[in-house]
Amino acid sequence: MSRHRNVRKYTYDEDDYDDYDEQEDYVGSPASPSLSSYMYQRDGPPMASFALDQNYEYEMTEEPQDVSPPPETKAVKPPPGFAPAATKSAGPPPGFTAKTPSQRFSFAEPAEVAKKPPTPPKQTTTPPPVTTPPTATSKIQAASTSAASTGTATTPPPVTTGAPAPTATKIPAPEEVEDEVTDSEGMLHLNMITVGHVDAGKSTLMGHLLYQTGNVNSKQMHKFQKESRELGKASFAYAWVLDENAEERARGVTIDVGRNYLRTPTKLITLLDAPGHKDFIPNMISGAAQADVAILVVDANTGEFEAGFEANGQTREHALLVRSLGIQQLIVAINKLDALGWSESRFEEIVGRLAPFLKQSGFKDKLVTFIPVSGLTGENLIQRSDQGLSWYTGPSLMEAIESFEPPSRATSQFVRLCVADVYRSPSLGMAVSGKVESGVVRSGSKVVILPANVLGTVKTMEHHGEPIKRAVAGQNIEVGLTGVDFTGVSIGSVLCDVDHPISLVSIFKCQLLTFNLPSPIVHGQSVLMHIQSASYPATISKLLSVTDKATGETSKKKPRALLRNTAATVEVTVSRPVCLELYSACRPLGRVTFRDRGTTLAAGIVTEVIQ
């Protein structure tokens, strides 16, 4: 098990809260907009007709090489008795064309070119010419990817001038990779995050579930119980399974995103435990960006649920954020209901208030499950209890987790791994961890890390603590790298295929939906933009149009300001180039969230790259 480090250098000293800097991104809470048609799905067609009306696409190809035969030369007759020795040809073969570094790592989108047929090798007594691996021409479209076409050339691969650059490995064709992420035992891989208001019992609930399923043994649990009693926090024993930091255990509050592994009969789940305190919303966004599904934990006690669901509570904001980050499947765990004698009326009251809000936020009713549980006593986690829950006929928490369906994976696209942590590992050396958003990563493959533009080689990889040779889209892995200058690698970097790097963008168009704004958004407004695990200062430089929610058509051009619950198209300028993709090309890297002074203002998708 491991834990993400303090990614934004917070100093969690209670005496410093009054002097907390606004730029450190305090959080407020939006209201409940009507988002059912304007949040964007991780899978399937977009829910909003205006979101992806235009068929944005681009092609990435390799330049053809000249494979024409060399000009014939007149043979010179050797003197009598002379016997020539067989020697290797010096220098590059005819037709070789060198590329400069700027050509090799150009982020421009080249025009599509037709492949030249390969020239058969010339019959000589010298060793056969070097044959390059087949080149792939992959076309990325809004909702699908086409198969890679391959060809063989008799010339050696292009090289760069100056410092030598590694050669990329072949991108596998779609049929070479399974769409579902499974391990050698055939178990499906899934990334799950727990979110909710502070003190709702998220860590205790997940810690007890890990213990009941055998993912935490009795010896470890006995140690946690003993240590928690010594600190006068006996009820936090199960939470300590995920809260490993000494400060978190002392304060009883999750700060960083905790990580553990849950093995079920059919699934191998990477479990992410997000902080619930409003001060640490940026950390929660970082964790939710890596998740496929979510568990929203609410406190059933009178007054506690209302505090989390009101305007300043994190129950409401966490639900909006996970939906805007593409999560569609949700379990609502109504925790601590045992303290109310497993009251059916209280359960129905909470469901009655949450269900309409989640539907307005974009969740489908059939993909949301409400379950009464007790994280402290462990009731209804694995099996339903007969005491007090005779009125409940739904699934237990584990049964609901087993019903989760893994989303489709972009295994046939180019490699994109978003770096969530950089650290030194005893088994991997200098390593990075994060989720593979697209493509296939193999041991020994050459990669480039952007925006630092650092080249390196994948030495070895681990998944759930086990070494692996190959990782596909959807897996949350740890990667040991060699030949990498880690001074330029940071949280939010993207590990890419060396021949097909991600674009560096400084100006782009974005379709967004505003939340509960404290004040209208105007052009020139400064915001903090979140992309995956990173955040960057940005400016909303232009307000281009307002979109009608009912029709998806433009209702007003160049508005003076954007009000709450408004769908609009804006132009965003980032303080420095960042790694971004079009939403139609790579959805996880095409989603952005805007915050200012601790309040989440809006969430949107990238529709056009300007610069």
Side-chain angles (χ1 to χ4, degrees), residues 31-83:
S32 58
S34 298
L35 301 180
S36 58
S37 298
Y38 304 100
M39 284 301 181
Y40 313 107
Q41 303 183 31
R42 184 182 297 272
D43 305 306
M47 301 179 67
S49 59
F50 70 87
L52 293 174
D53 286 339
Q54 304 180 19
N55 184 22
Y56 298 101
E57 58 179 299
Y58 61 85
E59 299 180 357
M60 305 184 72
T61 64
E62 292 188 2
E63 297 181 5
Q65 300 182 14
D66 186 7
V67 293
S68 58
E72 296 183 358
T73 58
K74 184 180 291 185
V76 180
K77 185 177 182 180
F82 175 76

Short mmCIF file of all heavy atoms in Angstrom, two decimals, residues 31-83:
data_model
loop_
_atom_site.label_atom_id
_atom_site.label_comp_id
_atom_site.label_asym_id
_atom_site.label_seq_id
_atom_site.Cartn_x
_atom_site.Cartn_y
_atom_site.Cartn_z
N ALA A 31 -24.14 25.31 -5.39
CA ALA A 31 -25.50 24.83 -5.20
C ALA A 31 -25.77 23.73 -6.20
O ALA A 31 -24.91 23.31 -6.91
CB ALA A 31 -26.49 25.99 -5.37
N SER A 32 -27.01 23.31 -6.26
CA SER A 32 -27.32 22.18 -7.13
C SER A 32 -27.87 22.69 -8.46
O SER A 32 -29.04 23.00 -8.55
CB SER A 32 -28.34 21.27 -6.46
OG SER A 32 -29.49 21.99 -6.15
N PRO A 33 -27.06 22.82 -9.50
CA PRO A 33 -27.58 23.24 -10.80
C PRO A 33 -28.28 22.08 -11.49
O PRO A 33 -28.13 20.94 -11.11
CB PRO A 33 -26.32 23.64 -11.55
CG PRO A 33 -25.28 22.76 -10.96
CD PRO A 33 -25.64 22.59 -9.51
N SER A 34 -29.00 22.41 -12.54
CA SER A 34 -29.62 21.36 -13.33
C SER A 34 -28.60 20.87 -14.34
O SER A 34 -28.45 21.42 -15.42
CB SER A 34 -30.85 21.91 -14.05
OG SER A 34 -31.79 22.34 -13.11
N LEU A 35 -27.90 19.85 -13.96
CA LEU A 35 -26.75 19.41 -14.75
C LEU A 35 -27.02 18.15 -15.55
O LEU A 35 -26.10 17.58 -16.12
CB LEU A 35 -25.56 19.14 -13.83
CG LEU A 35 -25.10 20.33 -12.99
CD1 LEU A 35 -23.93 19.91 -12.12
CD2 LEU A 35 -24.69 21.49 -13.86
N SER A 36 -28.24 17.66 -15.55
CA SER A 36 -28.47 16.34 -16.12
C SER A 36 -28.05 16.27 -17.57
O SER A 36 -27.70 15.20 -18.04
CB SER A 36 -29.95 15.98 -16.00
OG SER A 36 -30.73 16.95 -16.66
N SER A 37 -28.07 17.39 -18.30
CA SER A 37 -27.72 17.34 -19.71
C SER A 37 -26.37 17.96 -20.02
O SER A 37 -26.00 18.07 -21.17
CB SER A 37 -28.79 18.05 -20.54
OG SER A 37 -30.02 17.42 -20.39
N TYR A 38 -25.67 18.39 -19.00
CA TYR A 38 -24.47 19.17 -19.30
C TYR A 38 -23.24 18.69 -18.59
O TYR A 38 -22.21 19.33 -18.66
CB TYR A 38 -24.72 20.64 -19.00
CG TYR A 38 -25.93 21.12 -19.75
CD1 TYR A 38 -27.16 21.22 -19.12
CD2 TYR A 38 -25.85 21.37 -21.11
CE1 TYR A 38 -28.27 21.62 -19.83
CE2 TYR A 38 -26.96 21.76 -21.82
CZ TYR A 38 -28.16 21.89 -21.18
OH TYR A 38 -29.26 22.25 -21.88
N MET A 39 -23.28 17.61 -17.84
CA MET A 39 -22.06 16.97 -17.35
C MET A 39 -21.62 15.99 -18.42
O MET A 39 -22.43 15.52 -19.23
CB MET A 39 -22.29 16.26 -16.02
CG MET A 39 -22.38 17.24 -14.88
SD MET A 39 -20.88 18.22 -14.74
CE MET A 39 -21.28 19.21 -13.34
N TYR A 40 -20.40 15.66 -18.44
CA TYR A 40 -19.85 14.95 -19.57
C TYR A 40 -19.45 13.57 -19.15
O TYR A 40 -18.83 13.37 -18.12
CB TYR A 40 -18.66 15.73 -20.14
CG TYR A 40 -19.00 17.17 -20.30
CD1 TYR A 40 -18.48 18.13 -19.45
CD2 TYR A 40 -19.93 17.57 -21.25
CE1 TYR A 40 -18.83 19.44 -19.57
CE2 TYR A 40 -20.29 18.88 -21.38
CZ TYR A 40 -19.74 19.81 -20.54
OH TYR A 40 -20.08 21.12 -20.66
N GLN A 41 -19.79 12.60 -19.96
CA GLN A 41 -19.63 11.22 -19.58
C GLN A 41 -18.23 10.74 -19.86
O GLN A 41 -17.57 11.19 -20.79
CB GLN A 41 -20.60 10.36 -20.38
CG GLN A 41 -22.07 10.76 -20.21
CD GLN A 41 -22.97 9.83 -20.97
OE1 GLN A 41 -22.65 8.67 -21.11
NE2 GLN A 41 -24.08 10.33 -21.46
N ARG A 42 -17.77 9.78 -19.03
CA ARG A 42 -16.50 9.10 -19.31
C ARG A 42 -16.69 8.15 -20.48
O ARG A 42 -15.79 7.92 -21.28
CB ARG A 42 -16.03 8.34 -18.08
CG ARG A 42 -14.70 7.68 -18.24
CD ARG A 42 -14.35 6.91 -17.00
NE ARG A 42 -14.22 7.77 -15.84
CZ ARG A 42 -13.11 8.36 -15.50
NH1 ARG A 42 -12.02 8.21 -16.20
NH2 ARG A 42 -13.07 9.12 -14.41
N ASP A 43 -17.86 7.52 -20.57
CA ASP A 43 -18.10 6.53 -21.61
C ASP A 43 -19.40 6.87 -22.31
O ASP A 43 -20.28 7.49 -21.76
CB ASP A 43 -18.20 5.12 -21.03
CG ASP A 43 -16.97 4.79 -20.24
OD1 ASP A 43 -15.88 4.92 -20.79
OD2 ASP A 43 -17.14 4.43 -19.07
N GLY A 44 -19.54 6.35 -23.54
CA GLY A 44 -20.78 6.54 -24.27
C GLY A 44 -20.86 7.92 -24.85
O GLY A 44 -19.99 8.77 -24.65
N PRO A 45 -21.90 8.20 -25.61
CA PRO A 45 -22.04 9.51 -26.23
C PRO A 45 -22.29 10.59 -25.21
O PRO A 45 -22.84 10.33 -24.14
CB PRO A 45 -23.27 9.33 -27.14
CG PRO A 45 -24.03 8.21 -26.52
CD PRO A 45 -23.00 7.30 -25.90
N PRO A 46 -21.87 11.83 -25.46
CA PRO A 46 -22.08 12.92 -24.50
C PRO A 46 -23.56 13.14 -24.27
O PRO A 46 -24.40 12.94 -25.16
CB PRO A 46 -21.42 14.12 -25.18
CG PRO A 46 -20.49 13.52 -26.20
CD PRO A 46 -21.13 12.23 -26.62
N MET A 47 -23.89 13.57 -23.05
CA MET A 47 -25.28 13.78 -22.67
C MET A 47 -25.79 15.10 -23.21
O MET A 47 -26.99 15.29 -23.33
CB MET A 47 -25.42 13.72 -21.16
CG MET A 47 -24.97 12.40 -20.56
SD MET A 47 -25.14 12.37 -18.79
CE MET A 47 -26.91 12.41 -18.65
N ALA A 48 -24.91 16.04 -23.51
CA ALA A 48 -25.34 17.34 -24.00
C ALA A 48 -25.10 17.41 -25.50
O ALA A 48 -24.02 17.11 -25.96
CB ALA A 48 -24.58 18.45 -23.29
N SER A 49 -26.11 17.81 -26.25
CA SER A 49 -25.93 17.88 -27.69
C SER A 49 -24.93 18.95 -28.08
O SER A 49 -24.27 18.85 -29.09
CB SER A 49 -27.28 18.15 -28.35
OG SER A 49 -27.82 19.36 -27.87
N PHE A 50 -24.84 20.00 -27.26
CA PHE A 50 -23.91 21.07 -27.61
C PHE A 50 -22.48 20.73 -27.25
O PHE A 50 -21.56 21.37 -27.72
CB PHE A 50 -24.32 22.37 -26.89
CG PHE A 50 -24.09 22.32 -25.41
CD1 PHE A 50 -22.86 22.67 -24.85
CD2 PHE A 50 -25.11 21.90 -24.56
CE1 PHE A 50 -22.66 22.60 -23.50
CE2 PHE A 50 -24.89 21.84 -23.20
CZ PHE A 50 -23.68 22.18 -22.68
N ALA A 51 -22.27 19.72 -26.41
CA ALA A 51 -20.93 19.49 -25.87
C ALA A 51 -19.95 19.08 -26.94
O ALA A 51 -18.81 19.51 -26.95
CB ALA A 51 -20.99 18.43 -24.78
N LEU A 52 -20.39 18.22 -27.83
CA LEU A 52 -19.46 17.71 -28.84
C LEU A 52 -20.15 17.75 -30.21
O LEU A 52 -20.15 16.75 -30.94
CB LEU A 52 -19.02 16.28 -28.50
CG LEU A 52 -18.16 16.14 -27.24
CD1 LEU A 52 -17.93 14.67 -26.94
CD2 LEU A 52 -16.84 16.85 -27.44
N ASP A 53 -20.76 18.88 -30.55
CA ASP A 53 -21.43 18.98 -31.83
C ASP A 53 -20.44 18.83 -32.97
O ASP A 53 -20.72 18.21 -33.99
CB ASP A 53 -22.13 20.35 -31.97
CG ASP A 53 -23.39 20.38 -31.11
OD1 ASP A 53 -23.87 19.30 -30.78
OD2 ASP A 53 -23.84 21.48 -30.80
N GLN A 54 -19.26 19.42 -32.82
CA GLN A 54 -18.30 19.42 -33.89
C GLN A 54 -17.46 18.16 -33.82
O GLN A 54 -17.09 17.71 -32.76
CB GLN A 54 -17.40 20.65 -33.80
CG GLN A 54 -18.22 21.95 -33.80
CD GLN A 54 -17.33 23.16 -33.71
OE1 GLN A 54 -16.15 23.07 -33.99
NE2 GLN A 54 -17.88 24.28 -33.33
N ASN A 55 -17.16 17.63 -34.98
CA ASN A 55 -16.41 16.38 -35.06
C ASN A 55 -14.92 16.70 -35.13
O ASN A 55 -14.31 16.71 -36.19
CB ASN A 55 -16.86 15.59 -36.28
CG ASN A 55 -16.17 14.26 -36.35
OD1 ASN A 55 -15.69 13.76 -35.34
ND2 ASN A 55 -16.13 13.67 -37.54
N TYR A 56 -14.36 17.04 -33.99
CA TYR A 56 -12.94 17.35 -33.96
C TYR A 56 -12.15 16.07 -34.12
O TYR A 56 -12.41 15.08 -33.48
CB TYR A 56 -12.59 18.01 -32.62
CG TYR A 56 -13.29 19.30 -32.38
CD1 TYR A 56 -14.41 19.34 -31.55
CD2 TYR A 56 -12.88 20.46 -32.99
CE1 TYR A 56 -15.07 20.51 -31.32
CE2 TYR A 56 -13.54 21.65 -32.77
CZ TYR A 56 -14.64 21.66 -31.93
OH TYR A 56 -15.28 22.83 -31.70
N GLU A 57 -11.15 16.10 -34.96
CA GLU A 57 -10.28 14.95 -35.14
C GLU A 57 -8.93 15.41 -35.64
O GLU A 57 -8.79 16.49 -36.21
CB GLU A 57 -10.89 13.95 -36.13
CG GLU A 57 -11.17 14.56 -37.51
CD GLU A 57 -11.75 13.52 -38.46
OE1 GLU A 57 -11.06 12.53 -38.73
OE2 GLU A 57 -12.86 13.73 -38.93
N TYR A 58 -7.96 14.61 -35.42
CA TYR A 58 -6.65 14.91 -35.97
C TYR A 58 -5.92 13.62 -36.24
O TYR A 58 -6.29 12.57 -35.77
CB TYR A 58 -5.82 15.81 -35.05
CG TYR A 58 -5.51 15.24 -33.72
CD1 TYR A 58 -4.41 14.40 -33.54
CD2 TYR A 58 -6.31 15.53 -32.61
CE1 TYR A 58 -4.12 13.88 -32.30
CE2 TYR A 58 -6.03 15.00 -31.38
CZ TYR A 58 -4.92 14.18 -31.24
OH TYR A 58 -4.62 13.65 -30.02
N GLU A 59 -4.90 13.70 -37.05
CA GLU A 59 -4.12 12.54 -37.40
C GLU A 59 -2.68 12.78 -37.02
O GLU A 59 -2.18 13.89 -37.09
CB GLU A 59 -4.22 12.25 -38.90
CG GLU A 59 -5.66 11.95 -39.36
CD GLU A 59 -5.72 11.68 -40.84
OE1 GLU A 59 -4.67 11.79 -41.48
OE2 GLU A 59 -6.81 11.36 -41.33
N MET A 60 -2.01 11.75 -36.63
CA MET A 60 -0.59 11.82 -36.30
C MET A 60 0.10 10.75 -37.11
O MET A 60 -0.18 9.56 -36.97
CB MET A 60 -0.36 11.61 -34.80
CG MET A 60 -1.16 12.57 -33.95
SD MET A 60 -0.80 12.41 -32.20
CE MET A 60 0.83 13.14 -32.17
N THR A 61 0.99 11.13 -37.99
CA THR A 61 1.67 10.18 -38.85
C THR A 61 3.16 10.44 -38.81
O THR A 61 3.62 11.51 -38.39
CB THR A 61 1.19 10.30 -40.31
OG1 THR A 61 1.54 11.59 -40.79
CG2 THR A 61 -0.32 10.11 -40.40
N GLU A 62 3.92 9.48 -39.27
CA GLU A 62 5.35 9.67 -39.42
C GLU A 62 5.65 10.05 -40.86
O GLU A 62 5.02 9.58 -41.79
CB GLU A 62 6.09 8.38 -39.05
CG GLU A 62 6.00 8.03 -37.58
CD GLU A 62 6.89 6.86 -37.24
OE1 GLU A 62 7.57 6.38 -38.15
OE2 GLU A 62 6.88 6.46 -36.07
N GLU A 63 6.62 10.93 -41.06
CA GLU A 63 6.99 11.36 -42.39
C GLU A 63 7.56 10.19 -43.17
O GLU A 63 8.34 9.40 -42.64
CB GLU A 63 8.01 12.48 -42.31
CG GLU A 63 7.46 13.72 -41.61
CD GLU A 63 8.49 14.81 -41.58
OE1 GLU A 63 9.56 14.60 -42.17
OE2 GLU A 63 8.22 15.85 -40.97
N PRO A 64 7.20 10.04 -44.47
CA PRO A 64 7.75 8.94 -45.25
C PRO A 64 9.22 9.17 -45.52
O PRO A 64 9.69 10.30 -45.61
CB PRO A 64 6.92 8.98 -46.54
CG PRO A 64 6.49 10.41 -46.66
CD PRO A 64 6.29 10.89 -45.25
N GLN A 65 9.94 8.11 -45.64
CA GLN A 65 11.36 8.20 -45.93
C GLN A 65 11.63 7.82 -47.37
O GLN A 65 10.93 7.00 -47.97
CB GLN A 65 12.14 7.27 -45.00
CG GLN A 65 11.95 7.60 -43.54
CD GLN A 65 12.77 6.69 -42.67
OE1 GLN A 65 13.63 6.01 -43.17
NE2 GLN A 65 12.50 6.68 -41.41
N ASP A 66 12.63 8.42 -47.95
CA ASP A 66 13.02 8.16 -49.32
C ASP A 66 13.69 6.80 -49.39
O ASP A 66 14.74 6.59 -48.77
CB ASP A 66 13.96 9.26 -49.80
CG ASP A 66 14.28 9.11 -51.28
OD1 ASP A 66 13.66 8.23 -51.92
OD2 ASP A 66 15.14 9.87 -51.79
N VAL A 67 13.07 5.87 -50.12
CA VAL A 67 13.65 4.53 -50.23
C VAL A 67 14.05 4.22 -51.67
O VAL A 67 14.14 3.07 -52.07
CB VAL A 67 12.64 3.47 -49.74
CG1 VAL A 67 12.40 3.64 -48.26
CG2 VAL A 67 11.32 3.59 -50.50
N SER A 68 14.28 5.28 -52.48
CA SER A 68 14.69 5.06 -53.87
C SER A 68 16.07 4.45 -53.90
O SER A 68 16.94 4.73 -53.06
CB SER A 68 14.66 6.39 -54.61
OG SER A 68 15.50 7.31 -53.98
N PRO A 69 16.36 3.57 -54.89
CA PRO A 69 17.67 2.91 -54.96
C PRO A 69 18.76 3.91 -55.34
O PRO A 69 18.50 4.93 -55.97
CB PRO A 69 17.48 1.85 -56.05
CG PRO A 69 16.36 2.38 -56.89
CD PRO A 69 15.45 3.13 -55.96
N PRO A 70 19.98 3.66 -54.93
CA PRO A 70 21.08 4.58 -55.24
C PRO A 70 21.40 4.55 -56.73
O PRO A 70 21.14 3.57 -57.44
CB PRO A 70 22.24 4.03 -54.41
CG PRO A 70 21.93 2.59 -54.27
CD PRO A 70 20.44 2.49 -54.18
N PRO A 71 21.99 5.63 -57.28
CA PRO A 71 22.37 5.65 -58.70
C PRO A 71 23.47 4.62 -58.98
O PRO A 71 24.32 4.34 -58.14
CB PRO A 71 22.86 7.09 -58.91
CG PRO A 71 23.26 7.54 -57.56
CD PRO A 71 22.32 6.86 -56.61
N GLU A 72 23.38 4.04 -60.17
CA GLU A 72 24.38 3.04 -60.54
C GLU A 72 25.72 3.71 -60.86
O GLU A 72 25.79 4.80 -61.40
CB GLU A 72 23.90 2.27 -61.76
CG GLU A 72 22.62 1.45 -61.50
CD GLU A 72 22.23 0.65 -62.72
OE1 GLU A 72 22.94 0.77 -63.74
OE2 GLU A 72 21.23 -0.09 -62.64
N THR A 73 26.78 3.07 -60.50
CA THR A 73 28.13 3.58 -60.76
C THR A 73 28.89 2.56 -61.59
O THR A 73 28.64 1.35 -61.54
CB THR A 73 28.88 3.84 -59.46
OG1 THR A 73 28.92 2.62 -58.72
CG2 THR A 73 28.17 4.88 -58.60
N LYS A 74 29.85 3.05 -62.37
CA LYS A 74 30.64 2.17 -63.25
C LYS A 74 31.65 1.41 -62.41
O LYS A 74 32.34 1.97 -61.58
CB LYS A 74 31.36 3.00 -64.30
CG LYS A 74 32.14 2.13 -65.31
CD LYS A 74 32.83 2.99 -66.35
CE LYS A 74 31.80 3.65 -67.25
NZ LYS A 74 32.44 4.41 -68.36
N ALA A 75 31.68 0.08 -62.62
CA ALA A 75 32.60 -0.77 -61.86
C ALA A 75 34.03 -0.58 -62.35
O ALA A 75 34.29 -0.36 -63.54
CB ALA A 75 32.20 -2.23 -61.99
N VAL A 76 34.99 -0.63 -61.44
CA VAL A 76 36.43 -0.51 -61.77
C VAL A 76 37.03 -1.90 -61.78
O VAL A 76 36.88 -2.67 -60.83
CB VAL A 76 37.15 0.38 -60.74
CG1 VAL A 76 38.62 0.48 -61.09
CG2 VAL A 76 36.51 1.76 -60.71
N LYS A 77 37.72 -2.24 -62.87
CA LYS A 77 38.29 -3.58 -63.01
C LYS A 77 39.51 -3.73 -62.11
O LYS A 77 40.43 -2.93 -62.16
CB LYS A 77 38.69 -3.82 -64.46
CG LYS A 77 39.18 -5.24 -64.72
CD LYS A 77 39.47 -5.42 -66.18
CE LYS A 77 39.91 -6.86 -66.45
NZ LYS A 77 40.22 -7.08 -67.91
N PRO A 78 39.54 -4.71 -61.20
CA PRO A 78 40.69 -4.88 -60.29
C PRO A 78 41.89 -5.45 -61.03
O PRO A 78 41.75 -6.07 -62.09
CB PRO A 78 40.15 -5.86 -59.25
CG PRO A 78 39.12 -6.65 -59.98
CD PRO A 78 38.52 -5.72 -60.98
N PRO A 79 43.09 -5.25 -60.51
CA PRO A 79 44.30 -5.82 -61.14
C PRO A 79 44.28 -7.33 -61.04
O PRO A 79 43.59 -7.91 -60.21
CB PRO A 79 45.43 -5.22 -60.30
CG PRO A 79 44.80 -4.87 -59.01
CD PRO A 79 43.39 -4.49 -59.34
N PRO A 80 45.07 -7.98 -61.89
CA PRO A 80 45.09 -9.46 -61.87
C PRO A 80 45.56 -9.99 -60.51
O PRO A 80 46.48 -9.47 -59.91
CB PRO A 80 46.10 -9.82 -62.97
CG PRO A 80 46.15 -8.62 -63.86
CD PRO A 80 45.89 -7.43 -62.98
N GLY A 81 44.85 -11.04 -60.04
CA GLY A 81 45.23 -11.68 -58.77
C GLY A 81 44.67 -11.02 -57.54
O GLY A 81 44.90 -11.48 -56.42
N PHE A 82 43.92 -9.93 -57.72
CA PHE A 82 43.38 -9.22 -56.55
C PHE A 82 42.08 -9.87 -56.08
O PHE A 82 41.20 -10.16 -56.90
CB PHE A 82 43.12 -7.76 -56.90
CG PHE A 82 42.46 -6.99 -55.80
CD1 PHE A 82 43.18 -6.58 -54.69
CD2 PHE A 82 41.10 -6.69 -55.87
CE1 PHE A 82 42.57 -5.87 -53.68
CE2 PHE A 82 40.49 -6.00 -54.87
CZ PHE A 82 41.24 -5.58 -53.78
N ALA A 83 41.99 -10.16 -54.77
CA ALA A 83 40.77 -10.78 -54.19
C ALA A 83 40.17 -9.82 -53.19
O ALA A 83 40.72 -9.63 -52.11
CB ALA A 83 41.13 -12.11 -53.51
#
